[in-house]
Amino acid sequence: MDSVTPRLGILASRVRYEEKSIMAALERRGAEFEYLDPRSLSVVGAAPREAPSFVFNREIGHFRAYYAASALESAGVTVLNTAAATRVTGDKWHTSAALLGAGLPTPATALAMTPDAALKALEEIGYPAVIKPLVGSWGRLVTRVTDRAMASAVLEYVAALPSPQSHVVYLQELVPKADRDIRVVVVGGTAIGAMHRRGAEWRTNVARGAVSEHCPLSRSHAELAVSAAAAVGADIAGVDLIEDEEGRVTVLEVNGQVEFRGFQEAEGSRVDVGDSIAALLIARAAA
């Protein structure tokens, strides 16, 4: 590594609120870092390159984030979250498989290799259920199906999609819940806070208009979120929990590229997410 190259790099094609918060916190702490744009990144084989030896991966696109992390790791760079964690958290099935493997509560889920097989699997899961793309965020293309006729129509469209991966169908039971879910942010194995996401729509994504509200972080929610992050191998994660009508809490998703603007607004001065992440990055980069 060049003697003037900072040990720490921030990899992101878009510098949003979250990246700005983290960079500002690094500057307040006196840490030098280099901004890296993955759109101009290339790694030749496994050759060492002149770059930071520790990279925080904030690339928003799943495939570019995963392959960038994998390529950098092959060149001897330490990446957080790791390529393995990015692969798991960026794919809903891999996430579900990791949660199930760790024995954590998560809604009934199936992976069908064809749309026809998905229709049969839905008979086992029961209606209403949810059909989700394997890769995606913000609730996009997530579809609730209430009966076989509706599911058949949706899967007919799925079968017409050109990508072979689109024909592998991820299915999940629709857990009856209140008009809210819980997002817990985990940094370095610690749950630093929680928020409710409340909305009129059944998908309580902030990107779909849900409102963020402070949620007192209970010990059980914190322990479940930390366990979920560990199950997928993520050092930094946003863990989505849902509580059914009987009060049972399950892990819905684990987001490795957590967005936290709404979370920070809900938490106010209770938590500084950017600073918590900056502290972890400085410690890991110095290790």
Side-chain angles (χ1 to χ4, degrees):
M1 186 181 72
D2 192 299
S3 60
V4 300
T5 302
R7 289 182 59 83
L8 173 60
I10 307 292
L11 185 76
S13 59
R14 292 175 57 189
V15 180
R16 303 163 293 169
Y17 167 88
E18 288 80 3
E19 288 74 35
K20 291 177 182 176
S21 297
I22 296 164
M23 291 177 181
L26 288 169
E27 290 173 348
R28 288 196 301 271
R29 287 174 171 268
E32 294 186 357
F33 63 90
E34 178 182 352
Y35 166 66
L36 304 170
D37 189 337
R39 292 171 295 187
S40 59
L41 175 70
S42 63
V43 178
V44 180
R49 58 191 304 276
E50 195 172 281
S53 57
F54 183 94
V55 169
F56 181 40
N57 189 358
R58 287 291 303 178
E59 169 55 23
I60 191 171
H62 167 63
F63 291 105
R64 190 154 55 197
Y66 167 62
Y67 283 106
S70 177
L72 288 169
E73 288 178 353
S74 73
V77 177
T78 300
V79 183
L80 190 152
N81 286 318
T82 65
T86 299
R87 173 179 173 271
V88 173
T89 57
D91 182 293
K92 290 181 175 59
W93 169 250
H94 290 318
T95 299
S96 291
L99 295 173
L100 291 167
L104 297 177
T106 191
T109 302
L111 188 70
M113 299 305 117
T114 65
D116 285 343
L119 199 57
K120 294 177 182 176
L122 281 167
E123 297 299 327
E124 295 185 38
I125 290 178
Y127 294 98
V130 183
I131 300 174
K132 300 181 179 182
L134 285 170
V135 175
S137 56
W138 306 324
R140 288 183 301 193
L141 301 180
V142 174
T143 306
R144 177 175 57 180
V145 292
T146 57
D147 54 43
R148 181 182 176 88
M150 182 184 292
S152 180
V154 171
L155 291 169
E156 188 174 336
Y157 279 102
V158 170
L161 294 173
S163 168
Q165 188 187 39
S166 299
H167 302 162
V168 178
V169 186
Y170 178 92
L171 310 162
Q172 201 167 57
E173 70 169 322
L174 180 64
V175 178
K177 63 180 179 64
D179 61 345
R180 67 184 191 186
D181 63 11
I182 302 168
R183 161 68 62 88
V184 181
V185 173
V186 176
V187 178
T190 300
I192 64 171
M195 71 170 180
H196 286 303
R197 297 186 301 183
R198 188 188 302 274
E201 195 186 344
W202 65 278
R203 292 171 292 184
T204 46
N205 300 87
V206 173
R208 310 197 73 82
V211 176
S212 304
E213 301 172 345
H214 169 66
C215 171
L217 180 60
S218 70
R219 181 174 179 178
S220 61
H221 290 170
E223 290 176 348
L224 182 57
V226 169
S227 296
V232 300
D235 287 289
I236 297 173
V239 181
D240 295 340
L241 309 177
I242 53 174
E243 189 174 31
D244 68 15
E245 294 172 328
E246 280 73 44
R248 293 185 293 264
V249 178
T250 59
V251 182
L252 184 63
E253 292 186 359
V254 183
N255 302 277
Q257 302 285 353
V258 59
E259 295 175 316
F260 56 80
R261 183 169 192 160
F263 181 94
Q264 187 63 71
E265 291 173 353
E267 288 295 285
S269 60
R270 301 179 187 89
V271 176
D272 186 333
V273 182
D275 190 67
S276 297
I277 293 174
L280 177 68
L281 298 180
I282 292 169
R284 293 290 179 84

